[in-house]
Amino acid sequence: MSVEQTQVIEKPPATAPPAGREARFWSPRRAPATLVALLTLVVAGAFLYDVAAVRAHRPAMRWRRELAHRLAEQPLDGIWVLMGAGAAAALGLWLLTLAVTPGLRDVLPMRRTHPDVRAGLRRDAATTVLRDRALEIPGVRRVRVRLHRTRADVLAVSHSRDLDEVRSDLEATLTGAIHALGLAREPELTLHVLRPGRKG
């Protein structure tokens, strides 16, 4: 495995978790955080400026007077009130989901060889390794690999050798390749070997 396929993401506490229980990497989610921070800054700044102006014995800004007037006259079961409440609830649910889920699904945690270092392997790099190893088997024409956190689905097309022999070679090779990836949670191999379809 080349150095380019692994990347050190963060430096955790010195206590390493047991094998197979390595936590996923958390996404910083800079875009949603920046959007919420800017929106909060603009809205809070506008209200704070208007409140300070009223405290300084100046009239409230026109937009706040109109907003207060409209809110006072708007019935709670009105369509715009319900739509606004639904949009606010959806936005809050989205933010809560981002807060409690780790993200970075494309980075698979690897086994720790040192308690102070966490490493991750990109899913596309691991998929490429498994596909290349499968194509090295004699008789294999095409391979499709779909790698998930818990399983690796491999579909191979063989054109010349006996399917049982190809399946046996693929199973041995891919099992070793999965172990060599060094993932904290090795995915379970699901293997299918088929003959190529007839043309036309």
Side-chain angles (χ1 to χ4, degrees):
M1 185 185 305
S2 65
V3 178
E4 297 178 353
Q5 295 169 348
T6 61
Q7 53 179 195
V8 176
I9 306 298
E10 60 187 36
K11 192 172 182 179
T15 304
R21 295 182 178 272
E22 186 68 34
R24 289 172 55 187
F25 292 95
W26 282 75
S27 171
R29 294 190 169 101
R30 296 181 179 89
T34 302
L35 179 62
V36 172
L38 289 176
L39 184 61
T40 304
L41 179 63
V42 171
V43 174
F47 276 100
L48 182 61
Y49 175 82
D50 193 51
V51 170
V54 172
R55 293 282 184 171
H57 305 291
R58 295 180 181 178
M61 299 182 71
R62 182 178 179 182
W63 65 267
R64 192 162 73 93
R65 294 197 305 268
E66 292 183 357
L67 178 62
H69 181 68
R70 288 180 179 273
L71 291 178
E73 294 182 347
Q74 189 71 246
L76 295 179
D77 58 349
I79 183 64
W80 292 110
V81 174
L82 295 178
M83 289 178 61
L91 178 61
L93 182 61
W94 176 61
L95 293 176
L96 285 175
T97 302
L98 292 180
V100 300
T101 54
L104 285 183
R105 300 179 61 86
D106 287 338
V107 180
L108 302 174
M110 301 180 67
R111 291 191 299 268
R112 294 196 193 184
T113 58
H114 192 281
D116 292 335
V117 178
R118 289 190 68 194
L121 179 63
R122 295 191 62 86
R123 192 186 303 269
D124 54 355
T127 301
T128 301
V129 170
L130 296 181
R131 183 172 59 247
D132 291 346
R133 292 296 303 274
L135 288 174
E136 295 175 358
I137 303 299
V140 175
R141 175 184 293 181
R142 294 193 309 272
V143 177
R144 186 186 69 188
V145 179
R146 292 182 178 175
L147 185 61
H148 308 274
R149 292 186 64 239
T150 58
R151 73 181 191 278
D153 297 328
V154 179
L155 175 63
V157 177
S158 177
H159 60 90
S160 59
R161 296 176 59 199
D162 181 73
L163 293 184
D164 291 336
E165 295 180 0
V166 175
R167 182 179 294 107
S168 177
D169 291 346
L170 280 171
E171 185 174 0
T173 299
L174 293 178
T175 300
I178 290 175
H179 181 73
L181 291 176
L183 300 178
R185 182 176 183 177
E186 294 185 4
E188 182 178 355
L189 177 63
T190 302
L191 179 61
H192 300 281
V193 183
L194 304 174
R195 290 293 187 195
R198 295 181 179 178
K199 295 183 179 179

